[in-house]
Amino acid sequence: EQGPTPSRAQRVAQRVRRETEEFLLAGFLQFPDLRDEIGRAVGPEDFAVPELRRIYNAALALREAGEACDVRALVGRLAADAEAQAVLAGLPEDSTLEERVPSHIAFLEQDRRARRRASEIRQQLGDAGPGPDHVAPNESGHDLPDETEIGERPDGAAPREHIG
C-alpha cells in the first residue's frame, strides 16, 4: 500500500534534496581536497536516498582503511549491489562542483535543522501530524501558485537571484 501522493512542492523538495546528495557524493569522490570538509559536515544519515547512503558508507570505509577512494574502487566494493552501481554511474561530473560544494553543505545543514525543528514541534504538540516534507498550502489551497512559474514572484516583483 502506497502513502499519499506527494504534492508538487514535496516533489520539488525531494528532487532538490536528491541533487544535493548526488553533488556532495560526487564532490567527495572527485575532489580529494574536499573529503575532510564533506566528511565533517555530512554523515551517512544525511543521505535520504538508500543507494547514495550505501555508496557514501562504502566510500567512508575505503577512506578509513586507507584505500583509494574513487569510482573504480567503489565499483569493486559494491560489486553485489547493482542498484548502487547504477546510481554511482549516474553521478554528475561537473567541473564547477568543487566551488559549489560549500553551498550544498549549507543547504543540507539548513534542511537538517528544519527537519529537527519540525520533529521537536511535533513532539511538543504530541501530534504525529504531517511529516517534515509537508508544505502548507497558500490561500488558494495550492502548495505552489498555479499562475506563476518557478522563479517568478506572485506579487509581480523581480525574482530574487539564487546564490550558489
Side-chain angles (χ1 to χ4, degrees):
E1 180 178 311
Q2 293 183 359
T5 303
S7 69
R8 180 174 169 214
Q10 288 170 320
R11 289 189 308 273
V12 168
Q14 289 167 351
R15 187 187 76 234
V16 168
R17 172 133 181 135
R18 181 184 177 109
E19 289 173 356
T20 296
E21 292 175 13
E22 288 175 347
F23 280 123
L24 287 169
L25 183 56
F28 187 89
L29 296 174
Q30 294 171 28
F31 300 101
D33 293 345
L34 294 177
R35 288 186 186 146
D36 286 338
E37 180 180 357
I38 294 170
R40 279 190 303 273
V42 181
E45 69 280 358
D46 290 315
F47 288 89
V49 177
E51 295 83 6
L52 292 171
R53 186 179 313 118
R54 293 194 305 267
I55 295 167
Y56 190 64
N57 277 328
L60 291 175
L62 287 170
R63 183 172 177 233
E64 191 172 303
E67 298 178 32
C69 186
D70 55 24
V71 173
R72 170 178 265 159
L74 281 169
V75 167
R77 177 66 69 118
L78 298 166
D81 190 341
E83 292 172 339
Q85 283 197 16
V87 171
L88 181 61
L91 287 178
E93 291 188 29
D94 183 343
S95 61
T96 67
L97 232 161
E98 187 172 14
E99 63 196 42
R100 293 175 26 202
V101 160
S103 66
H104 288 293
I105 289 173
F107 172 83
L108 196 64
E109 289 172 342
Q110 179 182 2
D111 186 66
R112 186 185 309 135
R113 284 191 303 273
R115 288 171 183 272
R116 188 178 311 124
R117 183 68 182 134
S119 177
E120 290 169 0
I121 290 170
R122 280 193 307 282
Q123 286 177 349
Q124 289 173 355
L125 296 175
D127 175 23
D133 293 325
H134 176 75
V135 176
N138 60 22
E139 296 84 30
S140 66
H142 299 285
D143 292 331
L144 293 174
D146 292 330
E147 309 81 39
T148 61
E149 295 296 322
I150 294 176
E152 294 179 358
R153 294 187 44 192
D155 60 6
R160 295 182 185 133
E161 284 193 36
H162 175 70
I163 299 175

